[in-house]
Amino acid sequence: MRAAGVELSDLATLEAESIHILREVAAEFEHPVMLFSGGKDSVLMLHLARKAFAPAPVPFPIMHVDTGHNFPEVIEFRDRVVAEHGLRLEVASVQERIDSGRIQVGHELESRNRHQTVALLEGIQQNGFDAVFGGGRRDEEKARAKERVFSFRDRFGQWDPKNQRPELWNLYNGRHKKGEHIRVFPISDWTELDVWRYLAQEEVDLPSIYFAHEREVVEHEGLVMAVNEFFPLPDGAEARIEMVRYRTVGDATSTGAVRSTATDYHSVIEETAVARVTERGATRGDDRFSEAAMEDRKKEGYF
Amino acid sequence: MASEMLRIATAGSVDDGKSTLIGRLLYETKSIFEDQLESIERTSEKRGDEQTDLALLTDGLRAEREQGITIDVAHRYFATPKRKFVIADTPGHIQYTRNMVTGASNANLALLLVDARKGVLEQTRRHALLSSLLRVPHLVLCVNKMDLVDYDQGIYDEIREEFTQFAARLEITDLGFVPISALEGDNVVTRSPNMPWFEGQPLLGHLEDVHIASDRNLVDNRFPVQYVIRPQSAEQRDYRGFAGTVVGGIFKPGDEVMALPSRRRSRIAGIDTPTGSVAQAFPPMAVTLLLEDEIDVSRGDMLCRPSNQPTANQTFEAMLCWFDETSSLRTDIPYQLKHTTKWVAAEVEALRYQLDVDTLHRDLEAGTLEVNDIGRVAIHTSSPLFFDTYRLNRTTGSFILVDPATNLTVAAGMIIGAAGEPAGETAAAVAEAPVATNITFHPSKLTREERWGALGTRGATIWLTGLSGSGKSTIATAVEHTLISAPVPQPAFVLDGDNLRHGLNANLGFSDSDRAENVRRVGEVARILAEAGTVSLVSLVSPFRADRDRVRAIHEEAGIPFYEVFVDTPLEECERRDPKGLYAKARAGEITDLTGVGSPYEAPSAPDLVTDPDLEIAVRQVIGLLE
Ligand SMILES: Nc1nc2c(ncn2[C@@H]2O[C@H](COP(=O)(O)OP(=O)(O)OP(=O)(O)O)[C@@H](O)[C@H]2O)c(=O)[nH]1
Ligand SMILES: [Mg+2]
């Protein structure tokens, strides 16, 4: 049977599936929280959450795992979004934990990627969150490609990739015991291109660093790094001013930019459609430790 | 750029080349990024592979790379100018069958791989059966590794023939075949010069063209309420929206809806979506329905049309796939069951049989289901579910079972129907049903007793008479539903006066003689249906005693039970309800001769039953007549 006008576009379908997941969690869990980094995936996720519950406000707080190594534009964006939409923001601070001695660091500018896990898990535990929305997408990385939408975490926040719950149809099983929690990935099935097309269609505001701008950069171990307090110019290297934008937003100590002239959505989409390198491959120092770097970090409780 | 999405799941035995095929598809459609390719090249080199192992593109876990097998589903995405594809690459190993099912549950199409050297294996059959039970609408059998059998057409034909025979015993609506080499790329994206004898399309062409227009049910309106939106703000104080995903039918503002379980009715006042109000909502849209009346509706309730409701029942029959390695199916403990947006406690009352995935034989003696077993069960829930058969609706017909001790998802089920219903299983199971060989019927001499005995049924006519709006149809429909969904179902059929006037009695008006003829015809039809073994539930004003008495007479003559039931609702109450607006029109003089207003009603002098005003009691009273 084929009735007129009952086809949904791919983006509308993805949107509907994500909203279903968001509502399911809001209905079944006592204390959900949404991770919000200010990156495009968390911006998308938050935008979907606002739509899922409109005209009521988003019925859960957001949490930022703050490494202290952020791009200032991103923090400014975060605070603006929180104020604009009247959201409740929790900050799980890595810096605070370093200052209080809970986290040991070798030197001030070393990667805080692994330390994020500690802050994240403590933030979850201290607030008693039982469901944690993450903006992970399966197209990002090979370990993420393996994860369920509802992903069970034991008391230590750990993921067991060899023992995931079956997940059929859209019947999600979020049951867990006290102290355990569920990571929920409502945008699992979106690709990088889908995200850009949708954000453009919805005219969603993003941190300015996602669009091409001039910046002082230096090429370092295959990444285009912005030179600033978090990434001082290495000895003997030479900085240049170039037009760049970011494809992902992580720590300023380890996230690279890409050379680009795309200053608006339309041109970013064009560039994304012909990109030959994955977003993480192009920009993330932290994923390069080993072949299974992401899987290992996820097992420990990473996003 | 907006385009249709096709969801694909791979299937087939371990090492038959599923992951390699997906890798090949991604590679040849230029969907692999340079850094991904470099990374798997490095890994392949380190492992000493002869050539880059494309399976590494989906086998992303450390354990998978070490063992060279797939353990859990990987999702990959690619697009061609014609379509967008979401691929779930599933494991072939029997130990991980639950992960295969996870990947296949939402698929439009399954790619079932067979190693040309090994042919159809037990695991091939298991996955074909699972795809058929999950009602994946399209199946393509890929005979892989043709490079290892010299691209021999004979081998391909043999496998094709063997599988066709097996598939004939399953329900597979669309079955295709392609001979391929995933490793070398033959017939994957481009036609293979090594197999000029193959006349079909290469695989990708098939995937781009397969018609998936509607796997959706657009007929039966179903809206499981997921979440109630009630803003607490001053300006939105009156907003009360029922959020959820449409899983069947098309909802429009103005439509009458019924909420289950309360059975309260209202109309759709508006449909809100993330992008504003819309004129219609259909699957799989996530929307918020606004109703005209303040009726009690909450999560787990179902909105549908009053005239087209799902089955509401606490017991039903289902095919169950058991997933849990650490426990087996027990009939003595309660499980938690999730169906649409509702959790209920559930007991598996009986294991009817276990299905042998290899031979499709039904083992009626089986005592339990263990990991990866499939069987038919009877389930009893703590409160009624509102369901359809899985055949009709993949969402309202499916559920999962969770062990409350471990919180693990231990099984998934597909509803066949209310208890005792025979329909809806795989054709395989039906084909295996014992054929009665010891009864010889003499068509011309078949007696009523023989007919009813063989069918396990008893025909009768229940004649509900009363004023317009007295509730005859409501009672008749409820009785029909109860009889059909009983543990031992009794065929029943409502003959509604209004409905019959559209067809059988379309040429009749409301004069006394036309009314008499109307009653005569309906009486005859009721008698014939009853003769055939059905309980005829007649809902007809039938105002004149003499007409009704004639109907009783033809039943008595035929020896068929006939019960006259008087739905004695006072005229004032009928007029207050006025469901069709007839009384208003009569009072306004727009129609004359309405029974009770302009035309007399002769109440039965000796009815078999006068119904109670309470619907539930009335239903029980009517059913009591039959016992
Ligand atoms: N010669 C040849 N070898 C193939 C072909 N397809 C796959 N193989 C090889 O078969 C082996 C298994 O391939 P996989 O793709 O991992 O098999 P799979 O079906 O994904 O296995 P599981 O996911 O573990 O069930 C690998 O060594 C592949 O290189 C083919 O067309 N020809
Ligand atoms: Mg595989």
Side-chain angles (χ1 to χ4, degrees), chain A residues 48-64:
Chain A
L48 292 167
R50 290 186 38 240
K51 289 182 132 191
F53 303 102
V58 176
F60 38 76
I62 64 175
M63 178 159 78
H64 182 212

Side-chain angles (χ1 to χ4, degrees), chain B residues 352-407:
Chain B
R352 303 275 189 227
Y353 58 80
Q354 182 186 336
L355 199 58
D356 183 315
V357 296
D358 210 17
T359 60
L360 302 180
H361 175 74
R362 297 199 265 177
D363 179 4
L364 302 170
E365 307 299 316
T368 185
L369 295 177
E370 312 254 0
V371 60
N372 298 323
D373 286 347
I374 299 167
R376 174 168 167 167
V377 295
I379 290 190
H380 187 103
T381 56
S382 55
S383 60
L385 297 184
F386 315 111
F387 62 82
D388 296 287
T389 62
Y390 187 75
R391 169 192 301 270
L392 272 182
N393 191 314
R394 265 167 117 174
T395 307
T396 55
S398 58
F399 63 89
I400 55 170
L401 287 187
V402 172
D403 184 336
T406 58
N407 288 328

Side-chain angles (χ1 to χ4, degrees), chain A residues 182-210:
Chain A
I182 306 285
R183 296 283 170 86
V184 182
F185 300 99
I187 59 166
S188 285
D189 279 340
W190 296 61
T191 65
E192 185 187 11
L193 190 56
D194 295 331
V195 173
W196 280 111
R197 286 168 55 216
Y198 183 81
L199 292 175
Q201 169 192 303
E202 302 276 304
E203 299 177 0
V204 180
D205 207 13
L206 275 183
S208 56
I209 65 172
Y210 273 114

Side-chain angles (χ1 to χ4, degrees), chain A residues 189 194 276 278 291 296, chain B residues 34-35 62 65 77 84:
Chain A
D189 279 340
D194 295 331
R276 296 307 317 146
T278 62
E291 205 193 318
D296 293 343
Chain B
E34 282 160 14
D35 52 319
R62 190 194 292 279
R65 292 170 167 230
Y77 309 82
K84 250 176 103 165

Side-chain angles (χ1 to χ4, degrees), chain B residues 12-21 53 55 59 68-70 89-93 144-148 180-184:
Chain B
S13 192
V14 68
D15 271 354
D16 282 355
K18 296 177 291 296
S19 302
T20 309
L21 173 63
D53 182 1
D59 290 341
I69 60 163
T70 305
D89 182 32
T90 76
H93 198 290
N144 187 31
K145 307 198 184 181
M146 289 300 290
D147 55 307
L148 296 180
I180 62 168
S181 166
L183 194 70
E184 306 294 339

Side-chain angles (χ1 to χ4, degrees), chain B residues 60-127:
Chain B
L61 298 176
R62 190 194 292 279
E64 294 178 324
R65 292 170 167 230
E66 280 165 9
Q67 300 172 51
I69 60 163
T70 305
I71 292 175
D72 210 333
V73 191
H75 288 87
R76 286 285 173 184
Y77 309 82
F78 76 100
T80 67
K82 285 195 181 166
R83 235 181 209 166
K84 250 176 103 165
F85 299 90
V86 179
I87 303 183
D89 182 32
T90 76
H93 198 290
I94 181 162
Q95 190 185 341
Y96 308 117
T97 302
R98 60 173 182 270
N99 298 336
M100 177 274 174
V101 173
T102 291
S105 66
N106 288 319
N108 304 106
L109 181 144
L111 288 177
L112 182 58
L113 272 79
V114 173
D115 183 331
R117 298 169 303 174
K118 301 189 199 149
V120 176
L121 303 174
E122 171 176 346
Q123 194 64 348
T124 321
R125 284 189 284 268
R126 182 192 302 272
H127 283 181

Side-chain angles (χ1 to χ4, degrees), chain B residues 540-602:
Chain B
L540 198 65
V541 177
S542 47
F544 303 121
R545 212 170 287 139
D547 296 338
R548 297 194 300 263
D549 288 347
R550 266 193 292 277
V551 177
R552 181 188 289 275
I554 62 165
H555 278 78
E556 275 170 3
E557 210 174 284
I560 290 171
F562 176 87
Y563 305 104
E564 190 176 11
V565 175
F566 182 24
V567 185
D568 187 15
T569 310
L571 177 62
E572 304 77 56
E573 172 61 9
C574 297
E575 194 163 356
R576 193 190 61 75
R577 293 180 192 166
D578 203 8
K580 299 171 201 138
L582 294 175
Y583 291 99
K585 284 188 185 156
R587 299 291 179 202
E590 287 171 45
I591 48 175
T592 52
D593 63 25
L594 177 66
T595 300
V597 181
S599 180
Y601 177 77
E602 300 172 7

Side-chain angles (χ1 to χ4, degrees), chain A residues 10-258:
Chain A
D10 57 338
L11 290 181
T13 305
L14 288 170
E15 179 190 63
E17 289 171 353
S18 299
I19 286 178
H20 181 86
I21 296 162
L22 288 158
R23 288 170 172 169
E24 203 61 13
V25 171
E28 290 204 345
F29 289 83
E30 280 174 37
H31 298 296
V33 68
M34 178 172 280
L35 296 177
F36 186 82
S37 66
K40 65 179 184 311
D41 298 319
S42 50
V43 171
L44 166 66
M45 198 164 55
L46 181 61
H47 183 76
L48 292 167
R50 290 186 38 240
K51 289 182 132 191
F53 303 102
V58 176
F60 38 76
I62 64 175
M63 178 159 78
H64 182 212
V65 180
D66 184 348
T67 59
H69 284 173
N70 305 291
F71 288 97
E73 294 92 334
V74 176
I75 294 295
E76 178 265 327
F77 175 83
R78 176 196 79 185
D79 295 339
R80 183 151 49 83
V81 167
V82 166
E84 218 170 274
H85 303 305
L87 300 167
R88 201 143 51 81
L89 171 72
E90 295 287 345
V91 177
S93 165
V94 174
Q95 189 63 52
E96 260 172 35
R97 287 172 173 79
I98 292 173
D99 296 345
S100 69
R102 294 227 357 95
I103 295 177
Q104 309 282 327
V105 288
H107 64 90
E108 191 46 34
L109 293 183
E110 77 175 22
S111 166
R112 293 185 174 177
N113 194 297
R114 280 199 124 86
H115 303 320
Q116 278 182 293
T117 305
V118 178
L120 168 65
L121 293 180
E122 286 189 1
I124 292 172
Q125 216 170 34
Q126 284 161 7
N127 290 285
F129 293 131
D130 53 0
V132 181
F133 288 109
R137 305 188 329 261
R138 287 168 173 159
D139 86 320
E140 272 180 277
E141 205 283 331
K142 57 186 180 298
R144 291 214 157 138
K146 292 279 169 182
E147 196 160 10
R148 299 282 188 265
V149 172
F150 272 42
S151 186
F152 175 80
R153 291 293 186 282
D154 66 13
R155 284 180 48 222
F156 307 100
Q158 297 187 343
W159 180 50
D160 182 359
K162 284 175 72 177
N163 207 2
Q164 303 193 76
R165 291 178 178 175
E167 190 166 79
L168 287 90
W169 304 292
N170 55 7
L171 288 174
Y172 300 107
N173 173 12
R175 292 188 165 247
H176 61 279
K177 302 198 173 101
K178 214 174 150 54
E180 302 166 341
H181 71 275
I182 306 285
R183 296 283 170 86
V184 182
F185 300 99
I187 59 166
S188 285
D189 279 340
W190 296 61
T191 65
E192 185 187 11
L193 190 56
D194 295 331
V195 173
W196 280 111
R197 286 168 55 216
Y198 183 81
L199 292 175
Q201 169 192 303
E202 302 276 304
E203 299 177 0
V204 180
D205 207 13
L206 275 183
S208 56
I209 65 172
Y210 273 114
F211 300 97
H213 54 284
E214 286 199 330
R215 204 177 260 270
E216 188 179 3
V217 293
V218 60
E219 190 135 346
H220 180 76
E221 292 177 1
L223 296 178
V224 181
M225 298 299 297
V227 179
N228 52 28
E229 55 177 306
F230 302 112
F231 196 88
L233 194 63
D235 287 340
E238 211 174 301
R240 297 176 13 161
I241 304 283
E242 290 197 57
M243 278 289 271
V244 296
R245 68 176 169 90
Y246 285 84
R247 275 174 80 183
T248 66
V249 163
D251 277 3
T253 53
S254 58
T255 306
V258 294

